[in-house]
Amino acid sequence: MTAKRVPPAQLAPQLRDAITRLNRRVRQARPVGDLTVTQLSALTSLKLAGALTPRELADIERVQPPTMTKIVAKLEERGLVQRTPHPTDGRQVILAATAGGRAVLEQFERARNEWLADRLAALTEGERDTLRRAAEILQQLARA
Amino acid sequence: MTAKRVPPAQLAPQLRDAITRLNRRVRQARPVGDLTVTQLSALTSLKLAGALTPRELADIERVQPPTMTKIVAKLEERGLVQRTPHPTDGRQVILAATAGGRAVLEQFERARNEWLADRLAALTEGERDTLRRAAEILQQLARA
DNA sequence: TCACAGTCGTTAGCTTAACTAATGAGCCTG
DNA sequence: CAGGCTCATTAGTTAAGCTAACGACTGTGA
């Protein structure tokens, strides 16, 4: 387990390929249900942030405001998101996940993790430890 | 750097979070151009495999055959993919990336890798080595 | 040998998700 | 307090996915 010198330009394509492919697989393992990937993603961001305006949520999701309007409308229809007026600015709206929204989210989370957890269980301790360290570095990269 | 025991059920959410977030970031870094993500993905798979039937390509891309028909049609319009009849089976078609398709692909690849390569360059040698080993494990997971 | 069941790719028609442009309500500054 | 800006939404378009159905072709069993 000696550390090889790894040129970034060579690691980048390999890592990217691994990530995009694994991402597809994980997405496919999503359970049947009436929530789409987009809605799920928005609801997750909302839950993590606590409360956001549509604009902020759109920025986080890298989506245009009109798109977020539609996503939020669908989530609201199902009672997963609550829309309250902004206390001081009459133009703005405050979005927050309802208790129902948070519950649905946890259910999805569990199902989505299942596939991956099964695969991880088949690895060696050493491999899992490598992935654990890698996950930390990757999260840091994504934040940057 | 001692290997900690890592329960799969705990690693799964962390790894998944890291992967989905990083995946979003990498996708956002794609250059302006008239190729969509879907088309790009299909063209990449086709280039990697060399030559495939529509059905095979649809399976790889995890898409239904009619969807692949449309994707291929658009790629063919732009001259990036060539469609030739199967030598023995009159029902089948053989798809292959043209020289132009491969050239466009390399251009996109470079631009997409750039963002990630920049970030990777800022890491330590040890961190890059961890990611290299992780990438191998992840690719194996995605294949499973 | 040839009828027929199965496969392959495609077409048709629908839903969802994204975009840009335009609109209306509300805020704030000169 | 008028005009310009921001925020959210509406309207309309395009892309991407699906299922159902079809037409061409293959290959097998009687």
Side-chain angles (χ1 to χ4, degrees):
Chain A
M1 269 250 245
T2 57
K4 255 193 279 186
R5 285 187 59 86
V6 187
Q10 188 184 319
L11 178 56
Q14 192 190 358
L15 192 57
R16 195 169 58 68
D17 180 72
I19 286 168
T20 56
R21 278 178 197 281
L22 193 54
N23 194 50
R24 277 192 208 165
R25 288 306 296 260
V26 168
R27 290 205 162 196
Q28 280 153 20
R30 109 191 120 93
V32 285
D34 44 8
L35 269 195
T36 66
V37 173
T38 311
Q39 291 165 8
L40 195 59
S41 176
L43 188 54
T44 304
S45 293
L46 196 51
K47 184 194 167 197
L48 289 177
L52 294 169
T53 66
R55 159 78 60 175
E56 289 167 338
L57 186 52
D59 286 346
I60 289 171
E61 291 292 305
R62 306 285 166 165
V63 139
Q64 293 303 308
T67 303
M68 190 47 68
T69 294
K70 284 193 188 172
I71 296 170
V72 168
K74 293 209 174 137
L75 290 172
E76 200 186 11
E77 264 176 32
R78 293 166 208 259
L80 306 178
V81 157
Q82 198 174 12
R83 197 197 303 251
T84 58
H86 191 284
T88 64
D89 190 334
R91 296 166 301 182
Q92 294 187 45
V93 174
I94 306 290
L95 304 174
T98 63
R102 286 191 298 273
V104 164
L105 212 46
E106 274 156 30
Q107 202 179 339
F108 272 86
E109 281 291 308
R110 244 193 315 277
R112 289 220 288 181
N113 282 333
E114 220 168 68
W115 179 87
L116 187 54
D118 283 353
R119 308 289 157 163
L120 292 176
L123 299 178
T124 67
E125 281 289 344
E127 286 172 331
R128 275 199 293 278
D129 190 58
T130 294
L131 290 184
R132 181 188 57 76
R133 286 204 309 276
E136 282 170 17
I137 301 170
L138 293 177
Q139 281 174 328
Q140 178 191 327
L141 283 180
R143 240 178 276 121
Chain B
M1 269 250 242
T2 57
K4 255 194 279 187
R5 285 186 59 88
V6 187
Q10 188 185 318
L11 178 56
Q14 191 190 357
L15 191 58
R16 195 169 58 68
D17 180 71
I19 286 168
T20 56
R21 279 178 197 281
L22 192 55
N23 194 50
R24 277 192 207 166
R25 290 303 298 260
V26 168
R27 289 204 161 197
Q28 280 154 19
R30 109 192 120 93
V32 286
D34 46 4
L35 267 195
T36 67
V37 173
T38 311
Q39 290 165 11
L40 195 59
S41 176
L43 187 54
T44 304
S45 292
L46 196 52
K47 184 194 165 198
L48 287 178
L52 294 168
T53 67
R55 160 78 59 174
E56 288 167 338
L57 185 52
D59 286 346
I60 289 172
E61 291 293 303
R62 305 285 167 166
V63 140
Q64 293 303 308
T67 303
M68 190 47 67
T69 295
K70 283 192 191 176
I71 297 170
V72 168
K74 294 208 174 138
L75 289 172
E76 201 186 11
E77 264 176 33
R78 293 168 208 259
L80 307 179
V81 157
Q82 198 174 12
R83 197 198 302 254
T84 57
H86 191 284
T88 63
D89 191 333
R91 295 166 301 181
Q92 293 188 46
V93 174
I94 304 291
L95 304 174
T98 63
R102 285 191 298 273
V104 164
L105 211 46
E106 274 157 30
Q107 203 180 338
F108 272 86
E109 281 290 307
R110 244 194 313 278
R112 290 220 288 179
N113 283 332
E114 220 166 70
W115 179 87
L116 187 54
D118 283 352
R119 309 289 158 160
L120 292 177
L123 299 177
T124 67
E125 280 290 345
E127 286 173 329
R128 275 199 292 278
D129 190 59
T130 295
L131 290 184
R132 181 188 57 75
R133 287 205 307 275
E136 281 170 18
I137 301 170
L138 293 177
Q139 281 175 328
Q140 177 191 327
L141 283 179
R143 241 177 276 122

